[in-house]
Structures are given as C-alpha cells and as structure tokens.
Amino acid sequence: DVKVTQSSRYLVKRTGEKVFLECVQDMDHENMFWYRQDPGLGLRLIYFSYDVKMKEKGDIPEGYSVSREKKERFSLILESASTNQTSMYLCASRTTVNTEAFFGQGTRLTVV
Amino acid sequence: AQSVTQLDSQVPVFEEAPVELRCNYSSSVSVYLFWYVQYPNQGLQLLLKYLSGSTLVKGINGFEAEFNKSQTSFHLRKPSVHISDTAEYFCAVSDYGNAGNMLTFGGGTRLMVKP
C-alpha cells in the first residue's frame, strides 16, 4: 500500500515560532503537495513540488516556504507562525497529472 | 488558471434516498477530474476519477459521476445512500496547463445522511 506519513497528528506552537511540518512518501512519487484545510474553504494549495529541489507556489504561499532535498520528503515551513495559520495541513503525493493523489492523515496545527 | 466550484456546502438527505453532489470546473485545457471522500478524522481517499473515454464513471461504494464537457461539470451521484456515506466530499481537477501539475480542489460538500 502507498503510504504518506506526516510527522505529527497534532501540534501546538506559539506565535512567532518557526514550525516544520514533515511529510514522507514511500512510492517514489515525483509530485508532492501541501494543502491547508479550513471549514467552508475546502483544500487550498500552499506549495507543490514536481522534483527534488523544485517547487511551485500554489494559491496561498504567503507565510510559508517548503523544502524538498530528497524525493521522498517534502517539508512545509512556517517562518514565523501566526494565529491565522491555525489549521489542518494535508500532504499528498502522486506520480503524474492523471493519477490518484495519496494523502497523509493530516496535521492539526494550533498557534497560540 | 483552473478552479473548482462545489455548489452545495451541505446536503442533508434521508437514508435510502438518491443524492447528487454538484461540481463545476474551469480550465483552459483538457482536464482530469476526481472525487475524493473524507470520513471524520481521516485523510482523503479516492472515490473515482475521469481521465478519458466514457463520460460515466463508476467508483467505490456505489458512487458514479458523469463528465459533461459542454457544461464543465462532473456531478457525483448515488441512487441510494446509507448512514455510512456521511462524510465530506471533494471534487478536484488536474490539467497539463500553465499551472503544471497542480491539483485543485473545490470547497467540499458535507453529505449528512439521516435515518
């Protein structure tokens, strides 16, 4: 089975902290994605990566950065966490444009 | 740029009744379309996908969807729902356009099946 693993299910951080969310996939997928999920807004794409060290901004990249140093790992970084970044964060990976994306279980981040 | 609109944020329905969850998309090029389901406290899983060929696509758990290119729609249907279908459903579009390999989701529809 394809597995996408997010490092934490729940995380509480303080305003201004630098936060790292880690995602690892075990299927050698080229493409990886970070979304945030908020009630009524669905899933909004923050960043995606189509290869090692390659990244593209999604719809809401402000306040976030990403890192992909190895094919299997895609990290989301909140440079200085703010309360409006409290949300559910979902990581996904897939092979190419017409294939299914596989999702992790999500990280519920609370910034206090 | 691609976008997805799910026209209903919540759909209440009685058990064993039929249901349709609506999805419209916009894209400048040929698209691939997906429906995902998210059960409470779980990640998303694929229900079905349209890549090419027959416009009627069958998925898991008795769901099906119809691709309508002229109306840019991809509505999800089930003839008879069960309590266990209570979940949030997301429509998504993917294409080869300028956005590269983006996968864009709609706002979601919460299906609430009542006994």
Side-chain angles (χ1 to χ4, degrees):
Chain A
D1 275 356
V2 173
K3 196 149 187 176
V4 179
T5 304
Q6 295 183 229
S7 52
S8 307
R9 280 299 293 273
Y10 301 94
L11 214 51
V12 180
K13 294 293 182 181
R14 295 192 181 278
T15 302
E17 274 193 82
K18 190 168 187 175
V19 181
F20 294 85
L21 303 184
E22 305 287 344
C23 175
V24 177
Q25 51 97 0
D26 66 357
M27 280 301 291
D28 203 36
H29 287 165
E30 288 80 9
N31 299 283
M32 297 187 74
F33 306 81
W34 274 107
Y35 295 89
R36 65 177 281 176
Q37 181 180 11
D38 300 288
L41 298 176
L43 276 71
R44 293 179 292 167
L45 182 64
I46 305 171
Y47 270 97
F48 70 98
S49 169
Y50 52 91
D51 202 348
V52 174
K53 296 191 188 295
M54 306 305 288
K55 61 186 179 186
E56 290 286 343
K57 293 179 181 179
D59 299 317
I60 52 164
E62 297 78 19
Y64 303 95
S65 62
V66 290
S67 172
R68 193 160 179 207
E69 296 296 318
K70 293 185 177 181
K71 191 173 186 180
E72 67 270 18
R73 186 180 297 270
F74 192 35
S75 303
L76 179 69
I77 303 153
L78 285 66
E79 298 291 342
S80 176
S82 64
T83 54
N84 62 13
Q85 293 178 308
T86 291
S87 186
M88 171 69 85
Y89 290 87
L90 293 169
C91 175
S93 74
R94 68 175 181 177
T95 304
T96 187
V97 67
N98 62 349
T99 58
E100 174 185 358
F102 293 87
F103 282 82
Q105 288 290 88
T107 296
R108 185 166 294 282
L109 173 67
T110 302
V111 182
V112 298
Chain B
Q2 53 191 359
S3 67
V4 180
T5 302
Q6 291 183 242
L7 296 155
D8 306 294
S9 59
Q10 293 187 62
V11 173
V13 63
F14 286 105
E15 194 172 18
E16 297 183 7
V19 71
E20 178 179 82
L21 306 184
R22 296 179 294 168
C23 172
N24 286 90
Y25 69 91
S26 67
S27 176
S28 58
V29 295
S30 297
V31 298
Y32 306 103
L33 295 157
F34 304 83
W35 275 100
Y36 285 82
V37 61
Q38 185 180 37
Y39 298 104
N41 298 316
Q42 294 188 27
L44 276 72
Q45 64 183 83
L46 183 70
L47 266 182
L48 49 79
K49 60 185 177 184
Y50 171 78
L51 304 181
S52 64
S54 172
T55 57
L56 185 63
V57 180
K58 294 193 183 296
I60 62 172
N61 301 340
F63 284 92
E64 62 182 32
E66 185 154 20
F67 171 60
N68 188 319
K69 189 173 183 179
S70 63
Q71 296 188 5
T72 60
S73 67
F74 190 53
H75 300 332
L76 181 71
R77 302 185 182 102
K78 187 170 183 179
S80 175
V81 294
H82 303 288
I83 294 286
S84 59
D85 293 322
T86 294
E88 189 145 24
Y89 292 79
F90 293 94
C91 182
V93 62
S94 178
D95 66 30
Y96 280 111
N98 291 336
N101 205 348
M102 287 179 76
L103 178 62
T104 302
F105 285 82
T109 298
R110 188 170 297 278
L111 176 63
M112 299 174 292
V113 182
K114 300 180 284 187

